[in-house]
Amino acid sequence: MKENIIKPKVIKLGFLGAQNVGKTVICNQYLGLGFSSDFLATIGQNKLDTKYKLQNGEEIKLILWDTNGAERFISSNLTAIRMVQGIILVFDVTFKSSLNFLDMMINGIKERLNNPILVLFANKVDIDKSMWNVSIEEMHQFAEKNKIPLFETSAKTGKGIMEGLSYIVNEIHDKKSLEINNNIMINK
């Protein structure tokens, strides 16, 4: 007799990064709203709900927390998204300090959050490489140092966004399914 495997029905992701790196536009691209260079900066946090179809065909609810990237909001952003299972760290390849900003974010995540799965989005890769201020080597070194998978993305064209989201959502789903079912086995 086959046992029923319990699976999570909701996955929560947070988007963190400096101001103007493209977090909101990445969320909009994912939600099918397309690209617009005319948008207002996120104030506080925006919670976006959608449905997501996993690689196994199962549909779940996906909650995206889009946060303000101003340095003064780091603490409140980490408090607001404390219940996420995954975080997408976003930086702008044309703005080196946006990658350095993530060091601060990673330290805050380790101190305050319950071991979420992390991915790194190197955004704005559609821009001519001569305009980049972060080299490909620097991106990979940062990702390797922090043991975070790296995805080259473009909020403008949509490049890499679905691949990165698919990776993190499926990793979280597998991890949560294992945790839930291990807890059930222990409590039997």
Side-chain angles (χ1 to χ4, degrees):
M1 172 158 95
K2 187 176 177 183
E3 286 190 42
N4 289 335
I5 296 174
I6 298 175
K7 298 178 183 177
K9 301 293 181 205
V10 177
I11 291 178
K12 301 172 195 161
L13 297 177
F15 284 78
L16 296 174
Q19 287 180 297
N20 301 314
V21 295
K23 299 178 300 293
T24 300
V25 185
I26 288 170
C27 288
N28 288 345
Q29 274 286 11
Y30 172 72
L31 295 172
L33 302 174
F35 175 81
S36 173
S37 58
D38 297 328
F39 64 92
L40 299 172
T42 304
I43 298 172
Q45 303 87 25
N46 286 333
K47 179 182 165 200
L48 310 161
D49 293 8
T50 188
K51 294 198 183 303
Y52 182 87
K53 189 172 268 193
L54 295 165
Q55 290 171 343
N56 66 10
E58 183 183 344
E59 196 171 87
I60 61 161
K61 181 177 180 178
L62 183 60
I63 299 174
L64 308 175
W65 285 95
D66 178 20
T67 63
N68 179 304
E71 197 168 323
R72 68 180 187 266
F73 291 113
I74 291 174
S75 181
S76 64
N77 284 342
L78 290 171
T79 300
I81 65 166
R82 69 187 175 282
M83 300 306 289
V84 300
Q85 293 93 22
I87 295 178
I88 297 173
L89 298 165
V90 183
F91 74 96
D92 175 345
V93 296
T94 68
F95 191 42
K96 189 166 191 151
S97 63
S98 69
L99 181 60
N100 298 334
F101 179 84
L102 294 180
D103 275 325
M104 227 180 346
M105 298 303 299
I106 290 170
N107 289 334
I109 290 166
K110 288 177 181 175
E111 291 171 8
R112 297 180 185 187
L113 302 181
N114 188 15
N115 198 25
I117 293 174
L118 305 176
V119 296
L120 181 63
F121 277 17
N123 196 34
K124 302 186 184 179
V125 296
D126 58 285
I127 294 174
D128 187 274
K129 281 192 172 57
S130 66
M131 307 272 297
W132 290 22
N133 289 313
V134 178
S135 70
I136 292 172
E137 293 81 23
E138 288 171 311
M139 288 187 265
H140 285 280
Q141 286 172 354
F142 185 90
E144 287 172 21
K145 173 183 89 172
N146 292 291
K147 298 176 177 75
I148 304 171
L150 170 66
F151 294 87
E152 292 185 19
T153 63
S154 169
K156 186 174 187 177
T157 67
K159 174 186 171 31
I161 293 171
M162 287 305 294
E163 293 87 352
L165 280 167
S166 177
Y167 172 84
I168 193 169
V169 169
N170 283 285
E171 284 291 310
I172 292 166
H173 184 266
D174 292 347
K175 179 182 174 185
K176 283 182 68 177
S177 295
L178 186 62
E179 288 172 359
I180 290 168
N181 289 292
N182 282 343
N183 286 338
I184 291 171
M185 296 299 287
I186 289 169
N187 293 324
K188 278 190 173 183

PDB file of all heavy atoms in Angstrom, residues 69-93:
ATOM      1  N   GLY A  69      14.507  48.790  -2.001  1.00  0.00           N
ATOM      2  CA  GLY A  69      15.938  48.553  -1.880  1.00  0.00           C
ATOM      3  C   GLY A  69      16.726  49.599  -1.125  1.00  0.00           C
ATOM      4  O   GLY A  69      17.949  49.494  -1.039  1.00  0.00           O
ATOM      5  N   ALA A  70      16.044  50.599  -0.569  1.00  0.00           N
ATOM      6  CA  ALA A  70      16.772  51.631   0.163  1.00  0.00           C
ATOM      7  C   ALA A  70      17.430  51.018   1.394  1.00  0.00           C
ATOM      8  O   ALA A  70      16.838  50.206   2.097  1.00  0.00           O
ATOM      9  CB  ALA A  70      15.837  52.768   0.570  1.00  0.00           C
ATOM     10  N   GLU A  71      18.660  51.425   1.644  1.00  0.00           N
ATOM     11  CA  GLU A  71      19.427  50.858   2.758  1.00  0.00           C
ATOM     12  C   GLU A  71      18.695  51.015   4.088  1.00  0.00           C
ATOM     13  O   GLU A  71      18.747  50.138   4.942  1.00  0.00           O
ATOM     14  CB  GLU A  71      20.797  51.526   2.822  1.00  0.00           C
ATOM     15  CG  GLU A  71      21.789  50.770   3.641  1.00  0.00           C
ATOM     16  CD  GLU A  71      23.205  51.290   3.469  1.00  0.00           C
ATOM     17  OE1 GLU A  71      23.571  51.686   2.353  1.00  0.00           O
ATOM     18  OE2 GLU A  71      23.921  51.278   4.483  1.00  0.00           O
ATOM     19  N   ARG A  72      17.971  52.111   4.256  1.00  0.00           N
ATOM     20  CA  ARG A  72      17.284  52.336   5.527  1.00  0.00           C
ATOM     21  C   ARG A  72      16.136  51.356   5.770  1.00  0.00           C
ATOM     22  O   ARG A  72      15.605  51.269   6.864  1.00  0.00           O
ATOM     23  CB  ARG A  72      16.795  53.785   5.626  1.00  0.00           C
ATOM     24  CG  ARG A  72      15.681  54.132   4.660  1.00  0.00           C
ATOM     25  CD  ARG A  72      15.262  55.603   4.821  1.00  0.00           C
ATOM     26  NE  ARG A  72      14.118  55.922   4.034  1.00  0.00           N
ATOM     27  CZ  ARG A  72      14.161  56.439   2.810  1.00  0.00           C
ATOM     28  NH1 ARG A  72      15.320  56.706   2.239  1.00  0.00           N
ATOM     29  NH2 ARG A  72      13.060  56.701   2.162  1.00  0.00           N
ATOM     30  N   PHE A  73      15.727  50.617   4.735  1.00  0.00           N
ATOM     31  CA  PHE A  73      14.630  49.658   4.869  1.00  0.00           C
ATOM     32  C   PHE A  73      15.109  48.213   5.054  1.00  0.00           C
ATOM     33  O   PHE A  73      14.294  47.299   5.106  1.00  0.00           O
ATOM     34  CB  PHE A  73      13.692  49.723   3.658  1.00  0.00           C
ATOM     35  CG  PHE A  73      12.887  50.982   3.572  1.00  0.00           C
ATOM     36  CD1 PHE A  73      13.114  51.894   2.549  1.00  0.00           C
ATOM     37  CD2 PHE A  73      11.917  51.261   4.512  1.00  0.00           C
ATOM     38  CE1 PHE A  73      12.374  53.054   2.465  1.00  0.00           C
ATOM     39  CE2 PHE A  73      11.173  52.430   4.438  1.00  0.00           C
ATOM     40  CZ  PHE A  73      11.411  53.329   3.415  1.00  0.00           C
ATOM     41  N   ILE A  74      16.407  47.981   5.125  1.00  0.00           N
ATOM     42  CA  ILE A  74      16.921  46.611   5.235  1.00  0.00           C
ATOM     43  C   ILE A  74      16.272  45.877   6.400  1.00  0.00           C
ATOM     44  O   ILE A  74      15.743  44.780   6.251  1.00  0.00           O
ATOM     45  CB  ILE A  74      18.460  46.589   5.379  1.00  0.00           C
ATOM     46  CG1 ILE A  74      19.106  47.033   4.079  1.00  0.00           C
ATOM     47  CG2 ILE A  74      18.944  45.188   5.749  1.00  0.00           C
ATOM     48  CD1 ILE A  74      20.614  47.191   4.167  1.00  0.00           C
ATOM     49  N   SER A  75      16.291  46.482   7.560  1.00  0.00           N
ATOM     50  CA  SER A  75      15.749  45.826   8.752  1.00  0.00           C
ATOM     51  C   SER A  75      14.265  45.523   8.601  1.00  0.00           C
ATOM     52  O   SER A  75      13.819  44.413   8.891  1.00  0.00           O
ATOM     53  CB  SER A  75      15.998  46.703   9.976  1.00  0.00           C
ATOM     54  OG  SER A  75      15.509  46.071  11.125  1.00  0.00           O
ATOM     55  N   SER A  76      13.490  46.504   8.133  1.00  0.00           N
ATOM     56  CA  SER A  76      12.044  46.277   7.999  1.00  0.00           C
ATOM     57  C   SER A  76      11.740  45.264   6.898  1.00  0.00           C
ATOM     58  O   SER A  76      10.799  44.482   7.009  1.00  0.00           O
ATOM     59  CB  SER A  76      11.290  47.592   7.763  1.00  0.00           C
ATOM     60  OG  SER A  76      11.675  48.173   6.542  1.00  0.00           O
ATOM     61  N   ASN A  77      12.537  45.249   5.830  1.00  0.00           N
ATOM     62  CA  ASN A  77      12.340  44.257   4.769  1.00  0.00           C
ATOM     63  C   ASN A  77      12.592  42.846   5.293  1.00  0.00           C
ATOM     64  O   ASN A  77      11.829  41.923   5.015  1.00  0.00           O
ATOM     65  CB  ASN A  77      13.265  44.532   3.585  1.00  0.00           C
ATOM     66  CG  ASN A  77      12.796  45.689   2.736  1.00  0.00           C
ATOM     67  OD1 ASN A  77      11.642  46.087   2.794  1.00  0.00           O
ATOM     68  ND2 ASN A  77      13.711  46.243   1.960  1.00  0.00           N
ATOM     69  N   LEU A  78      13.661  42.679   6.043  1.00  0.00           N
ATOM     70  CA  LEU A  78      13.965  41.354   6.592  1.00  0.00           C
ATOM     71  C   LEU A  78      12.907  40.906   7.594  1.00  0.00           C
ATOM     72  O   LEU A  78      12.583  39.724   7.669  1.00  0.00           O
ATOM     73  CB  LEU A  78      15.355  41.345   7.221  1.00  0.00           C
ATOM     74  CG  LEU A  78      16.514  41.451   6.231  1.00  0.00           C
ATOM     75  CD1 LEU A  78      17.837  41.644   6.964  1.00  0.00           C
ATOM     76  CD2 LEU A  78      16.578  40.252   5.309  1.00  0.00           C
ATOM     77  N   THR A  79      12.345  41.854   8.335  1.00  0.00           N
ATOM     78  CA  THR A  79      11.263  41.526   9.263  1.00  0.00           C
ATOM     79  C   THR A  79      10.007  41.131   8.489  1.00  0.00           C
ATOM     80  O   THR A  79       9.348  40.144   8.812  1.00  0.00           O
ATOM     81  CB  THR A  79      10.970  42.714  10.197  1.00  0.00           C
ATOM     82  OG1 THR A  79      12.158  43.003  10.935  1.00  0.00           O
ATOM     83  CG2 THR A  79       9.828  42.406  11.147  1.00  0.00           C
ATOM     84  N   ALA A  80       9.682  41.885   7.445  1.00  0.00           N
ATOM     85  CA  ALA A  80       8.458  41.629   6.675  1.00  0.00           C
ATOM     86  C   ALA A  80       8.488  40.286   5.969  1.00  0.00           C
ATOM     87  O   ALA A  80       7.455  39.624   5.840  1.00  0.00           O
ATOM     88  CB  ALA A  80       8.239  42.747   5.657  1.00  0.00           C
ATOM     89  N   ILE A  81       9.667  39.865   5.524  1.00  0.00           N
ATOM     90  CA  ILE A  81       9.731  38.612   4.756  1.00  0.00           C
ATOM     91  C   ILE A  81      10.297  37.452   5.563  1.00  0.00           C
ATOM     92  O   ILE A  81      10.750  36.468   5.001  1.00  0.00           O
ATOM     93  CB  ILE A  81      10.534  38.801   3.452  1.00  0.00           C
ATOM     94  CG1 ILE A  81      11.995  39.115   3.752  1.00  0.00           C
ATOM     95  CG2 ILE A  81       9.915  39.835   2.560  1.00  0.00           C
ATOM     96  CD1 ILE A  81      12.895  38.992   2.553  1.00  0.00           C
ATOM     97  N   ARG A  82      10.209  37.540   6.872  1.00  0.00           N
ATOM     98  CA  ARG A  82      10.815  36.513   7.730  1.00  0.00           C
ATOM     99  C   ARG A  82      10.228  35.123   7.525  1.00  0.00           C
ATOM    100  O   ARG A  82      10.839  34.136   7.910  1.00  0.00           O
ATOM    101  CB  ARG A  82      10.729  36.911   9.200  1.00  0.00           C
ATOM    102  CG  ARG A  82       9.338  36.914   9.779  1.00  0.00           C
ATOM    103  CD  ARG A  82       9.305  37.484  11.184  1.00  0.00           C
ATOM    104  NE  ARG A  82       7.972  37.600  11.678  1.00  0.00           N
ATOM    105  CZ  ARG A  82       7.105  38.547  11.363  1.00  0.00           C
ATOM    106  NH1 ARG A  82       7.455  39.496  10.542  1.00  0.00           N
ATOM    107  NH2 ARG A  82       5.896  38.559  11.863  1.00  0.00           N
ATOM    108  N   MET A  83       9.077  34.990   6.932  1.00  0.00           N
ATOM    109  CA  MET A  83       8.447  33.681   6.749  1.00  0.00           C
ATOM    110  C   MET A  83       8.624  33.122   5.341  1.00  0.00           C
ATOM    111  O   MET A  83       8.005  32.125   4.999  1.00  0.00           O
ATOM    112  CB  MET A  83       6.956  33.776   7.083  1.00  0.00           C
ATOM    113  CG  MET A  83       6.670  34.224   8.513  1.00  0.00           C
ATOM    114  SD  MET A  83       7.478  33.227   9.779  1.00  0.00           S
ATOM    115  CE  MET A  83       6.538  31.725   9.636  1.00  0.00           C
ATOM    116  N   VAL A  84       9.489  33.736   4.513  1.00  0.00           N
ATOM    117  CA  VAL A  84       9.697  33.205   3.164  1.00  0.00           C
ATOM    118  C   VAL A  84      10.574  31.957   3.231  1.00  0.00           C
ATOM    119  O   VAL A  84      11.353  31.778   4.161  1.00  0.00           O
ATOM    120  CB  VAL A  84      10.329  34.263   2.217  1.00  0.00           C
ATOM    121  CG1 VAL A  84       9.440  35.480   2.081  1.00  0.00           C
ATOM    122  CG2 VAL A  84      11.732  34.634   2.629  1.00  0.00           C
ATOM    123  N   GLN A  85      10.421  31.127   2.222  1.00  0.00           N
ATOM    124  CA  GLN A  85      11.261  29.931   2.133  1.00  0.00           C
ATOM    125  C   GLN A  85      12.429  30.146   1.180  1.00  0.00           C
ATOM    126  O   GLN A  85      13.373  29.372   1.170  1.00  0.00           O
ATOM    127  CB  GLN A  85      10.443  28.725   1.652  1.00  0.00           C
ATOM    128  CG  GLN A  85       9.398  28.265   2.623  1.00  0.00           C
ATOM    129  CD  GLN A  85       8.043  28.900   2.355  1.00  0.00           C
ATOM    130  OE1 GLN A  85       7.756  29.365   1.262  1.00  0.00           O
ATOM    131  NE2 GLN A  85       7.207  28.922   3.363  1.00  0.00           N
ATOM    132  N   GLY A  86      12.343  31.191   0.374  1.00  0.00           N
ATOM    133  CA  GLY A  86      13.399  31.457  -0.592  1.00  0.00           C
ATOM    134  C   GLY A  86      13.558  32.940  -0.840  1.00  0.00           C
ATOM    135  O   GLY A  86      12.594  33.702  -0.710  1.00  0.00           O
ATOM    136  N   ILE A  87      14.788  33.328  -1.180  1.00  0.00           N
ATOM    137  CA  ILE A  87      15.068  34.733  -1.460  1.00  0.00           C
ATOM    138  C   ILE A  87      15.834  34.839  -2.762  1.00  0.00           C
ATOM    139  O   ILE A  87      16.822  34.125  -2.985  1.00  0.00           O
ATOM    140  CB  ILE A  87      15.882  35.385  -0.323  1.00  0.00           C
ATOM    141  CG1 ILE A  87      15.035  35.405   0.945  1.00  0.00           C
ATOM    142  CG2 ILE A  87      16.334  36.792  -0.713  1.00  0.00           C
ATOM    143  CD1 ILE A  87      15.729  35.974   2.151  1.00  0.00           C
ATOM    144  N   ILE A  88      15.366  35.743  -3.604  1.00  0.00           N
ATOM    145  CA  ILE A  88      16.055  36.070  -4.838  1.00  0.00           C
ATOM    146  C   ILE A  88      16.800  37.378  -4.586  1.00  0.00           C
ATOM    147  O   ILE A  88      16.184  38.416  -4.348  1.00  0.00           O
ATOM    148  CB  ILE A  88      15.067  36.191  -6.009  1.00  0.00           C
ATOM    149  CG1 ILE A  88      14.394  34.832  -6.242  1.00  0.00           C
ATOM    150  CG2 ILE A  88      15.793  36.686  -7.262  1.00  0.00           C
ATOM    151  CD1 ILE A  88      13.279  34.837  -7.243  1.00  0.00           C
ATOM    152  N   LEU A  89      18.127  37.271  -4.586  1.00  0.00           N
ATOM    153  CA  LEU A  89      18.985  38.437  -4.399  1.00  0.00           C
ATOM    154  C   LEU A  89      19.283  39.010  -5.779  1.00  0.00           C
ATOM    155  O   LEU A  89      19.801  38.300  -6.654  1.00  0.00           O
ATOM    156  CB  LEU A  89      20.283  38.033  -3.704  1.00  0.00           C
ATOM    157  CG  LEU A  89      20.119  37.454  -2.303  1.00  0.00           C
ATOM    158  CD1 LEU A  89      21.392  36.760  -1.858  1.00  0.00           C
ATOM    159  CD2 LEU A  89      19.742  38.556  -1.324  1.00  0.00           C
ATOM    160  N   VAL A  90      18.965  40.287  -5.976  1.00  0.00           N
ATOM    161  CA  VAL A  90      19.079  40.899  -7.300  1.00  0.00           C
ATOM    162  C   VAL A  90      20.123  42.016  -7.262  1.00  0.00           C
ATOM    163  O   VAL A  90      20.113  42.839  -6.351  1.00  0.00           O
ATOM    164  CB  VAL A  90      17.723  41.492  -7.760  1.00  0.00           C
ATOM    165  CG1 VAL A  90      17.833  42.056  -9.176  1.00  0.00           C
ATOM    166  CG2 VAL A  90      16.609  40.447  -7.681  1.00  0.00           C
ATOM    167  N   PHE A  91      21.008  42.015  -8.254  1.00  0.00           N
ATOM    168  CA  PHE A  91      21.909  43.151  -8.431  1.00  0.00           C
ATOM    169  C   PHE A  91      21.945  43.541  -9.904  1.00  0.00           C
ATOM    170  O   PHE A  91      21.516  42.792 -10.768  1.00  0.00           O
ATOM    171  CB  PHE A  91      23.316  42.848  -7.891  1.00  0.00           C
ATOM    172  CG  PHE A  91      24.129  41.909  -8.742  1.00  0.00           C
ATOM    173  CD1 PHE A  91      25.039  42.404  -9.666  1.00  0.00           C
ATOM    174  CD2 PHE A  91      24.009  40.544  -8.605  1.00  0.00           C
ATOM    175  CE1 PHE A  91      25.793  41.549 -10.449  1.00  0.00           C
ATOM    176  CE2 PHE A  91      24.767  39.676  -9.372  1.00  0.00           C
ATOM    177  CZ  PHE A  91      25.655  40.183 -10.311  1.00  0.00           C
ATOM    178  N   ASP A  92      22.434  44.742 -10.163  1.00  0.00           N
ATOM    179  CA  ASP A  92      22.493  45.336 -11.489  1.00  0.00           C
ATOM    180  C   ASP A  92      23.938  45.250 -11.972  1.00  0.00           C
ATOM    181  O   ASP A  92      24.834  45.795 -11.318  1.00  0.00           O
ATOM    182  CB  ASP A  92      22.021  46.793 -11.364  1.00  0.00           C
ATOM    183  CG  ASP A  92      22.123  47.609 -12.631  1.00  0.00           C
ATOM    184  OD1 ASP A  92      22.807  47.183 -13.583  1.00  0.00           O
ATOM    185  OD2 ASP A  92      21.538  48.701 -12.653  1.00  0.00           O
ATOM    186  N   VAL A  93      24.175  44.606 -13.107  1.00  0.00           N
ATOM    187  CA  VAL A  93      25.538  44.426 -13.612  1.00  0.00           C
ATOM    188  C   VAL A  93      26.213  45.746 -13.974  1.00  0.00           C
ATOM    189  O   VAL A  93      27.438  45.793 -14.106  1.00  0.00           O
ATOM    190  CB  VAL A  93      25.587  43.459 -14.827  1.00  0.00           C
ATOM    191  CG1 VAL A  93      25.138  42.060 -14.419  1.00  0.00           C
ATOM    192  CG2 VAL A  93      24.785  43.995 -16.001  1.00  0.00           C
TER     193      VAL A  93
END
